[in-house]
Amino acid sequence: MTWKKLILIGDSNTQFAHGRSGWVNSISDLFQRRCDVINRGFSGYNTDQIRLILPKIFSEFKTETVCGVIIMLGSNDSTDQQAQIQHVNLEKFSDNISFIIDYIINWGVPKNKIILVSPAKIFDEKWQQVKGPNAFHFDHLVKNYAQEVIKIAKNKSVMSVDFRQAMEDYGSEYHHLLHDGLHLSKEGGDLLFKCLLPIIEKNILGDLQINFPDWKNFSLNQQEIV
């Protein structure tokens, strides 16, 4: 028996999401006994670097076992140009995201099971307090990248979550969604999970069965479980 896989691709807001923000934990809980949730978040990575390792990420899986892919990138690409290793200009970022989506589609994942998430807002004041002169992430810079993500999702006919807009809709208190100005807090992780949930339930979860029968259906001397 091979369990289905839901693959999450992103940067630190994905890698660290078993911790403070907890949104990957919420997804894992939702999919318990239905599929394995695979966290492939890479702190600090931009789309140039994800593009390079994408074939390696998918090399361990078989197409028929992957039930969905969630992609959340752009926070590091959108850094100020002083962040030389992380910064990717908007045109190249657009090309990279398009490449990533095309690669996953051509690999065999249906479009309605690919979810592209726009990068989160940034609370500049707090992040500058944390990083000082090395604070190269700014909210006014990431905005254009978030808009580009949603545009690409529409052009490629894949699913999308405008997480930045959801944070905008949160109002002036949106900084509570970020524990250090850049990375999601528990409240931010809960909001992201809430935004993802309708698409996940409709397009991915509904196609999956619970693996193995409920224990209450076993006989006293059960000899085999299928």
Side-chain angles (χ1 to χ4, degrees), residues 73-90:
L73 293 164
S75 293
N76 297 316
D77 300 73
S78 65
T79 50
D80 187 273
Q81 293 184 32
Q82 294 179 74
Q84 297 178 8
I85 295 175
Q86 290 186 310
H87 174 76
V88 175
N89 68 54
L90 186 60

Side-chain angles (χ1 to χ4, degrees), residues 114-144:
I114 301 171
I115 307 174
L116 197 53
V117 183
S118 65
K121 282 180 64 63
I122 298 166
F123 185 55
D124 295 343
E125 181 180 344
K126 178 65 174 177
W127 186 237
Q128 288 168 12
Q129 289 174 4
V130 172
K131 298 296 287 185
N134 294 318
F136 299 128
H137 296 77
F138 296 99
D139 191 58
H140 73 280
L141 295 178
V142 77
K143 181 177 181 179
N144 291 335

Side-chain angles (χ1 to χ4, degrees), residues 168-220:
E168 292 271 11
D169 294 343
Y170 204 84
S172 61
E173 298 297 301
Y174 84 88
H175 58 88
H176 292 301
L177 303 171
L178 302 160
H179 80 85
D180 60 1
L182 178 66
H183 302 102
L184 298 179
S185 64
K186 179 63 168 65
E187 200 168 347
D190 289 346
L191 178 62
L192 178 52
F193 176 68
K194 180 181 178 181
C195 292
L196 286 165
L197 187 59
I199 300 175
I200 288 173
E201 287 186 325
K202 179 181 179 181
N203 291 20
I204 302 174
L205 186 65
D207 294 336
L208 301 176
Q209 301 296 319
I210 292 178
N211 290 316
F212 296 112
D214 190 287
W215 69 272
K216 293 186 289 294
N217 295 323
F218 294 158
S219 61
L220 182 60

Side-chain angles (χ1 to χ4, degrees), residues 1-25:
M1 178 179 182
T2 302
W3 289 56
K4 297 289 188 178
K5 318 290 183 187
L6 174 62
I7 303 173
L8 315 180
I9 299 173
D11 48 38
S12 54
N13 270 324
T14 299
Q15 178 180 327
F16 301 146
H18 291 291
R20 189 189 300 264
S21 69
W23 68 269
V24 173
N25 293 340

